[in-house]
Amino acid sequence: MTEPRQWTWHSLGEPEGKGFADTIRRYDRLPTRAQSRVPEIVWNLSRNSSSLFSRFRTDATSIAARWRIDGEVLALSHMPATAVSGLDLYGEADDGKIHWVGVGHPTTIGVNNAVIAEEIDGMNRNYTVYFPLFNNLEDVQVGVPLGASFEIVPPDPLTPVVYYGTSIIHGASASRPGMALPAQLGRRLGRNVIGLGFSGNGKMEVEIAEHLSEIQAAIYIIDCLPNMDHDLVRERTVPFVQALRAVQPETPILLVEDRTFTNAWAIPAKQELHRRKRLEYRTAFDSLVKSGDPNLHYLENTGLLGDDDEATVDSSHPTDLGFSRMAGVLEPVIRKLIEA
């Protein structure tokens, strides 16, 4: 990063979108005590800063960042470095809506420096910076020109949405962090979405349910079918919901069916895979409702990715278009349940 001006650097403190305060590192997503209770791969993935963000207010005409990441690769085969390792900046316009401003392009594992936006109008406004989706964020600071104002925005007081799931909730395959599903839903709903997606490993372990139950949520969303076969769905759905209900007896829970593979129309084996998993999921849902759970809800897969099969990179993981479509389907459902 070139420095044509003097910068004043500011630490962002504790991020938002985080469900637990007692973490080893500031940008971890599960508490320290989870390390001995969840599968090792889940623990390692929980160190990724996916879905975490910070908000600040400034009248700066330029905004820079320096951040340090730890990981093995800067980018993935199906995701650019901007999403895996970069920062994503949004700002609040005069109409109160949140709009994209710029992205911090990473260049290396380790310390990165970037000017995210220049020639800004200098209006004093709130900004949101979203953090890397698939690497561990060690530290981040925001720089503004010498003399510009800067203050951390107080945390959102509204009860958060908790969204547990797979690589899709983790952020694959967004082009940048602000396009991941939890980030898009958060902007649409006007409240924090705690994204607990674990790539390839959203498998409804009871221990995860017990940790989720510690978070006071407006709603819990469970979206794990892409990582599970029908036997695992049959084995784990009911115990998972029961463990969550043991601590949170009244909070709405929404079970979301898996997105449909966008090439399933031509591949019978994928159609059968969907059919069997969804049958087990629905059966588990029906049994839980019959046992007396009036605030358990179910969302079928219909329309999550649209109807033109154009919204993924590999038939499974959504592009930005796919995530926007998913957010458009989920938003009214979630809003209705949390405002009931």
Side-chain angles (χ1 to χ4, degrees):
M1 178 184 72
T2 59
E3 296 202 7
R5 60 187 70 78
Q6 286 186 293
W7 298 98
T8 303
W9 293 96
H10 301 271
S11 175
L12 296 177
E14 284 295 308
E16 296 188 74
K18 183 176 176 178
F20 305 92
D22 53 333
T23 55
I24 294 176
R25 294 184 301 196
R26 175 173 286 172
Y27 303 102
D28 289 351
R29 293 181 293 144
L30 286 179
T32 304
R33 60 189 177 281
Q35 184 172 9
S36 62
R37 303 195 65 232
V38 303
E40 181 179 6
I41 183 60
V42 172
W43 171 253
N44 291 337
L45 291 166
S46 78
R47 317 297 303 273
N48 296 166
S49 53
S50 171
S51 305
L52 302 183
F53 62 94
S54 287
R55 294 183 299 144
F56 58 90
R57 186 172 185 85
T58 183
D59 59 4
T61 55
S62 298
I63 297 175
R66 58 189 183 196
W67 68 105
R68 186 172 74 252
I69 52 174
D70 175 41
E72 296 182 359
V73 296
L74 199 65
L76 297 171
S77 62
H78 59 323
M79 291 181 71
T82 47
V84 175
S85 307
L87 304 178
D88 205 7
L89 184 67
Y90 282 71
E92 184 176 327
D94 292 340
D95 60 6
K97 295 181 180 178
I98 309 299
H99 298 268
W100 182 75
V101 176
V103 66
H105 294 273
T107 58
T108 185
I109 299 296
V111 177
N112 288 270
N113 294 274
V115 176
I116 298 180
E118 297 182 280
E119 299 182 344
I120 305 171
D121 57 20
M123 297 294 292
N124 196 31
R125 61 167 59 91
N126 290 348
Y127 290 91
T128 300
V129 57
Y130 295 97
F131 299 142
L133 295 174
F134 277 86
N135 267 322
N136 301 344
L137 182 64
E138 301 284 352
D139 185 54
V140 60
Q141 293 180 310
V142 165
V144 297
L146 189 65
S149 66
F150 187 94
E151 60 181 317
I152 301 296
V153 173
D156 184 352
L158 294 176
T159 309
V161 170
V162 173
Y163 203 134
Y164 167 57
T166 67
S167 58
I168 293 172
I169 312 310
H170 201 137
S173 293
S175 66
R176 45 188 174 81
M179 293 307 292
L181 183 58
Q184 290 204 44
L185 279 174
R187 293 194 299 274
R188 285 171 176 260
L189 294 168
R191 70 173 67 209
N192 287 355
V193 175
I194 296 172
L196 292 171
F198 304 109
S199 183
N201 288 275
K203 297 182 178 181
M204 290 196 211
E205 294 90 354
V206 166
E207 293 80 6
I208 294 292
E210 291 169 352
H211 286 302
L212 294 186
S213 72
E214 298 174 20
I215 306 172
Q216 295 300 316
I219 185 172
Y220 300 97
I221 304 171
I222 314 302
D223 188 354
C224 291
L225 260 60
N227 286 167
M228 303 172 73
D229 62 23
H230 66 282
D231 288 330
L232 208 56
V233 174
R234 182 192 314 117
E235 173 189 331
R236 293 187 175 179
T237 302
V238 170
F240 186 93
V241 173
Q242 288 175 335
L244 192 51
R245 275 286 178 250
V247 180
Q248 301 290 348
E250 298 181 356
T251 305
I253 297 174
L254 176 64
L255 303 183
V256 178
E257 280 189 350
D258 51 330
R259 51 67 196 115
T260 299
F261 285 111
T262 52
N263 61 358
W265 66 271
I267 303 176
K270 287 189 173 182
Q271 297 171 28
E272 179 63 9
L273 180 67
H274 285 311
R275 187 193 69 80
R276 296 181 74 181
K277 288 196 289 188
R278 291 167 184 169
L279 176 60
E280 295 294 347
Y281 206 38
R282 187 77 198 209
T283 299
F285 167 77
D286 289 341
S287 70
L288 287 161
V289 171
K290 288 179 181 177
S291 69
D293 192 336
N295 216 359
L296 183 65
H297 308 273
Y298 194 93
L299 180 63
E300 295 183 351
N301 70 90
T302 306
L304 278 175
L305 292 174
D307 59 5
D308 56 10
D309 302 322
E310 298 282 12
T312 72
V313 299
D314 55 4
S315 87
S316 175
H317 297 97
T319 58
D320 293 350
L321 172 63
F323 281 128
S324 292
R325 288 176 173 177
M326 289 184 71
V329 172
L330 284 159
E331 178 195 357
V333 176
I334 297 169
R335 192 179 295 279
K336 180 179 179 181
L337 293 176
I338 63 180
E339 293 177 356

